[in-house]
Amino acid sequence: MTQRIVSLGFLAAAVVVLAQAFAIPQGEGYQAVGPRAFPLLVGVGLAVVSVIGVVQAFRPGTREPAPATTDAGGEVAEKPHWPSVLLLIGSLAGYALLLVPAGYWQATTAFFVAVARVLGSRRLVRDVLVGLALALATYFLFDRLLGISLPPGLVRLAI
């Protein structure tokens, strides 16, 4: 029953997002991407995922997931690892603080590396390269192609 309620809730949220996206006035002029594009993209994505969830939830033979396993003491075996949770929250707070002064792609690279380390990665060079590639790709997509300026930070890209 929980899966059905949640999936229907997400479907309702998708309808609201799409309705609000269509209420945004279309930009004037010859803009390739108007202010309505990204809310529509999010609404469509949410609708697709929620429809899949509704179909799975109402399919005959669908059962609730089994309850979590318990150890000998009767406690749930899988407890959150609070130091990791706190480190992730700290990494996110550091990212928010560094974003403007350090710059988007620099702060995003550092955030990616920090999160990878907290989640158990021990390959620093790979993490830096992947984080840098993702940060630069996102930076160029938004800042250069879409014209949405992101904080350039200490080291400005010449490209």
Side-chain angles (χ1 to χ4, degrees):
M1 184 59 88
T2 305
Q3 184 179 2
R4 290 178 179 177
I5 292 170
V6 170
S7 62
L8 289 173
F10 275 109
L11 185 59
V15 169
V16 169
V17 168
L18 286 170
Q20 292 298 314
F22 279 113
I24 296 172
Q26 192 64 354
E28 305 211 5
Y30 295 100
Q31 296 178 5
V33 178
R36 192 188 288 180
F38 286 108
L40 280 175
L41 182 66
V42 170
V44 168
L46 183 58
V48 168
V49 170
S50 61
V51 165
I52 292 170
V54 167
V55 168
Q56 289 179 348
F58 285 94
R59 186 180 313 152
T62 302
R63 298 186 330 228
E64 287 288 319
T69 58
T70 57
D71 62 10
E75 294 185 26
V76 176
E78 296 182 25
K79 294 181 182 177
H81 187 253
W82 289 110
S84 295
V85 172
L86 294 175
L87 284 171
L88 288 172
I89 291 171
S91 298
L92 186 58
Y95 179 64
L97 291 173
L98 287 176
L99 186 60
V100 173
Y104 175 80
W105 65 271
Q106 299 95 324
T108 302
T109 302
F111 178 66
F112 183 90
V113 172
V115 169
R117 299 293 283 189
V118 169
L119 296 178
S121 175
R122 297 294 170 242
R123 300 172 111 183
L124 182 62
V125 174
R126 181 196 64 186
D127 295 341
V128 169
L129 292 175
V130 170
L132 183 62
L134 291 173
L136 288 175
T138 307
Y139 179 81
F140 282 116
L141 173 70
F142 282 91
D143 196 70
R144 303 297 165 90
L145 295 177
L146 297 175
I148 300 170
S149 52
L150 297 171
L154 302 171
V155 180
R156 297 181 190 274
L157 296 175
I159 301 173

